[in-house]
Amino acid sequence: MNAGHGNEAFVAFEHVQKSYDGETLVVKDLNLKIGQGEFLTMLGPSGSGKTTCLMMLAGFETATHGEIRLAGRPINNIPPHKRGIGMVFQNYALFPHMTVGENLAFPLEVRKMSKAEIEAKVKRALDMVQMGAFAGRRPAQLSGGQQQRIALARALVFDAELVLMDEPLGALDKQLREHMQFEIKHIHERLGVTVVYVTHDQGEALTMSDRIAVFNDGRIQQLAPPEDLYERPENGFVAQFIGENNTLEGTVETIGQGNCTVRLGDGSVIDALPVNVSRAGERTLLSIRPERAEFNLDRLPEGTHTVKAEVLEFIYMGDIFRIRLRIAGNENFVIKCRNAVGQRRLRPGEVIDVGWLPQDCRALEAA
Ligand code: ADP
């Protein structure tokens, strides 16, 4: 990731707000710096403001307030076609009456390049997406995945330094989508182009991005590399939105540097990592990943606090077992356990002890 190199961000949103109706803000005081060469994903539920941000960056929407800068220059008043930005949408937007080659040549002709130069660039862009043999076909003669590759080539053909992608893989089936995720990621790595990518699919975001901005309700909830988002969510929304998450409600009993104790609804007291709780007596929402909760207690360090759990469901999933438990009033506490040699199966109704490391139990501010 190149973010943070140099003093000037390549793309900067500064106090950007957007309202379509003059009343409701769908983007609220957005501040975001994107480094040159970075792959930044805007991730969030539908309606959280991601596309609006992308459209303001592309120039198809104007900010109600604030400034957007590209390579240090304010671009609020520059029309879309003069921003030098490549775009890829979900619905390809290829011209159906033109061949693949003509589709790719079009943005270059608009830029008044010579014929020879256009030919060379089209060939290079098609080779990049492994579609060199398809220049003479029309879009209708290509599969969905192939059309999306051409759309990608068209966004790259004029050497745009910034490429925006809005759910580009949304129309493809799962297998192809996963394949294309890697392809886009590799092209990004090879070209060093800056990518701003919009998706509501967290797996896609985790796979591809240098950093992810998690959006909800017009605000960035957390901006961090994939691993940080998953391992160290800063609030309940992010913990819940990224990956699978268990929550337990409780009250902070004691709090110190890097450790707190929390009393749960059933009276048990456990250790946790204080993330954004600050005083005893405060309500908190504990966040624990399914794969970090353990009922084979010999795998936990001695002295680890455990809680009582009733097994509600034990589901065989091949490589893993998925176990639904009732813990301190939560009937949807899920843990995962590897189908390892000698692993004991649990029966519904059985009461077991479950534990986790204090650092895997994050005490978040209660909503
Ligand atoms: P996302 O990309 O996260 O799904 P959008 O940016 O598309 O979110 O939408 C954010 C909010 O703005 C939504 O409430 C949506 O209904 C509203 N919105 C988006 N585009 C328009 C528009 N052209 N006119 C009015 N409201 C819009």
Side-chain angles (χ1 to χ4, degrees), residues 20 26 44-53 61 198:
Y20 287 103
V26 299
S46 177
S48 56
K50 313 177 295 289
T51 296
T52 299
C53 290
E61 289 292 349
V198 163

Side-chain angles (χ1 to χ4, degrees), residues 238-274:
V238 176
Q240 210 63 31
F241 194 75
I242 310 280
E244 238 187 312
N245 182 54
N246 291 303
T247 56
L248 291 174
E249 288 178 31
T251 306
V252 178
E253 285 244 312
T254 62
I255 184 160
Q257 195 72 293
N259 189 277
C260 63
T261 56
V262 174
R263 182 176 294 277
L264 304 179
D266 65 355
S268 52
V269 174
I270 57 166
D271 293 315
L273 179 76

